[in-house]
Amino acid sequence: MPAVGQSGCLAVLIDMELQVNNLILDYLQHIRLQMAKDTVFIKQWILNNFFNYVNSTIKKQYYYITKNDIEMYLTSISNCKLGTRHYRTTTIRDFYEYLIKNDPVCARIENPAAAIRFKKYKSHALPHVPGESALKECLVNLSGDPRHQSESDVIALRDRLLLELAYGSGLRRAELAALNVEDLDLDCAQAIVRGKGGKERKVPLTQGSIDVLRRYLTVKQGTRGPLLVSARGKRLSVGSVTWLLRTKYGIRPHLLRHACATHMLISGCDIRLIQELLGHKDLTTTQVYTHIETGDLTKVVSRLHPRSGFVNS
């Protein structure tokens, strides 16, 4: 039997853990409509991981946490890259910012993560965007045989449709998985897409997507419900979309999104139209998705600028 003092201390720790868990759930509910489901899940994991460390190592109430405590936590993470440290710190900082505004206990404390500074870094190198010819070859290899309507052809058409929609309309993997048949308007060449935070937007469909869609819908069972389904007729999960494109075909879903934005920009499309297509709130986000080599930029200016071709000013 534990001593009375030990029992009381244990009760305090359990009560503190429950209190923090409730605050985390409140915070997640607060940000749920502003962020993608996967992002909310990652932030929940980070906060749970941090406060598990606090409960097991530091043993402090959440409103007594200091900058040093957070730095100790970051140091305890093995093989933690700078970008990961920065993201975890930002998550903890945003959580305490929420507490300061909404939890009376934290109303007068200073945000313990606010003073943590990081050197400027590039979160990740710009990806190598495949050329138009490489993607065209990949799409041709996934065409399927229009003379047959077997299950294997349905799967082949579905896989090609994945690439057509991801590359042609710049859709995220979660947006691909969430598409329903009734979201499509082939006559108007549009689709209703549910983006981050459940926000809906209309995106244009390329002729390539429409051609594959017409073939796919003639052999796919059902005229409503999930568009992209497994061999058993179940909606593809986000993880399945990633596996199909990355593991089976060697292409990351987000790389197709990058390629869509980059190739359109190279062709002279206004970046604000690309922003609308991709569903970005801020133009700076769109700029991260577009990467044009100097040679490509020179070709665009030579082809589109009103002063191109003029020798004399």
Side-chain angles (χ1 to χ4, degrees):
M1 294 286 292
V4 174
Q6 292 175 326
S7 178
C9 182
L10 181 61
V12 170
L13 289 175
I14 293 175
D15 181 66
M16 177 178 67
E17 186 175 352
L18 290 173
Q19 189 175 5
V20 170
N21 285 341
N22 289 333
L23 290 170
I24 291 175
L25 292 175
D26 290 342
Y27 169 67
L28 296 174
Q29 183 67 22
H30 173 70
I31 65 173
R32 184 176 61 85
L33 296 179
Q34 307 169 27
M35 301 180 181
K37 184 178 180 180
D38 288 351
T39 304
V40 174
F41 177 80
I42 292 171
K43 288 184 178 293
Q44 181 178 18
W45 185 91
I46 290 172
L47 292 173
N48 286 336
N49 184 259
F50 171 63
F51 284 106
N52 284 339
Y53 173 83
V54 169
N55 293 335
S56 63
T57 305
I58 301 176
K59 294 182 172 60
K60 282 185 177 180
Q61 293 281 11
Y62 65 94
Y63 42 82
Y64 286 139
I65 295 298
T66 65
K67 171 189 172 186
N68 290 337
D69 295 329
I70 298 174
E71 289 178 333
M72 284 176 56
Y73 161 71
L74 296 173
T75 303
S76 71
I77 305 171
S78 59
N79 300 322
C80 185
K81 296 181 180 179
L82 182 60
T84 302
R85 289 166 56 88
H86 185 274
Y87 190 79
R88 293 199 183 198
T89 303
T90 301
T91 299
I92 296 170
R93 183 199 66 199
D94 292 345
F95 175 64
Y96 271 95
E97 198 65 34
Y98 170 80
L99 292 183
I100 291 170
K101 293 179 180 178
N102 297 277
D103 182 23
V105 178
C106 295
R108 295 185 179 182
I109 70 169
E110 293 186 4
N111 192 322
I116 299 178
R117 295 288 182 265
F118 291 88
K119 294 180 180 179
K120 291 184 178 180
Y121 73 102
K122 292 183 179 180
S123 59
H124 59 274
L126 285 170
H128 173 68
V129 177
E132 294 180 41
S133 59
L135 285 173
K136 183 178 180 180
E137 181 180 355
C138 183
L139 290 167
V140 169
N141 292 335
L142 288 171
S143 295
D145 190 341
R147 295 171 299 177
H148 303 287
Q149 294 185 352
S150 66
E151 181 182 277
S152 61
D153 290 318
V154 175
I155 298 302
L157 285 169
R158 180 207 64 191
D159 291 353
R160 174 163 182 180
L161 184 57
L162 264 175
L163 267 76
E164 289 282 5
L165 292 171
Y167 174 50
S169 300
L171 301 187
R172 302 178 178 96
R173 54 182 186 164
E175 293 170 347
L176 289 165
L179 276 175
N180 293 318
V181 177
E182 57 267 29
D183 295 331
L184 306 172
D185 187 340
L186 300 189
D187 293 332
C188 293
Q190 288 184 334
I192 297 175
V193 174
R194 293 161 191 83
K196 289 186 175 182
K199 295 180 179 178
E200 290 188 354
R201 70 182 189 280
K202 288 185 178 181
V203 300
L205 297 173
T206 63
Q207 190 59 49
S209 294
I210 292 174
D211 291 342
V212 179
L213 272 166
R214 292 191 188 281
R215 291 171 55 194
Y216 176 67
L217 292 175
T218 59
V219 295
K220 175 188 175 294
Q221 295 182 353
T223 57
R224 294 185 63 83
L227 174 66
L228 300 167
V229 297
S230 66
R232 296 182 178 181
K234 302 294 184 181
R235 182 189 297 275
L236 288 184
S237 66
V238 175
S240 296
V241 170
T242 302
W243 183 87
L244 282 169
L245 293 177
R246 185 169 186 171
T247 307
K248 193 174 178 181
Y249 299 111
I251 302 175
R252 290 191 296 114
H254 232 63
L255 194 60
L256 293 168
R257 190 166 158 87
H258 277 281
C260 172
T262 299
H263 294 167
M264 287 183 65
L265 196 61
I266 290 174
S267 298
C269 182
D270 188 289
I271 193 171
R272 294 193 181 277
L273 294 178
I274 299 175
Q275 175 190 2
E276 184 176 347
L277 173 68
L278 299 183
H280 289 154
K281 182 178 180 181
D282 298 316
L283 187 62
T284 52
T285 307
T286 310
Q287 291 169 339
V288 173
Y289 279 72
T290 55
H291 177 52
I292 298 183
E293 300 293 341
T294 303
D296 293 324
L297 186 58
T298 301
K299 292 178 183 177
V300 173
V301 172
S302 297
R303 181 166 58 88
L304 297 176
H305 199 282
R307 294 291 291 172
S308 64
F310 286 89
V311 177
N312 297 318
S313 58

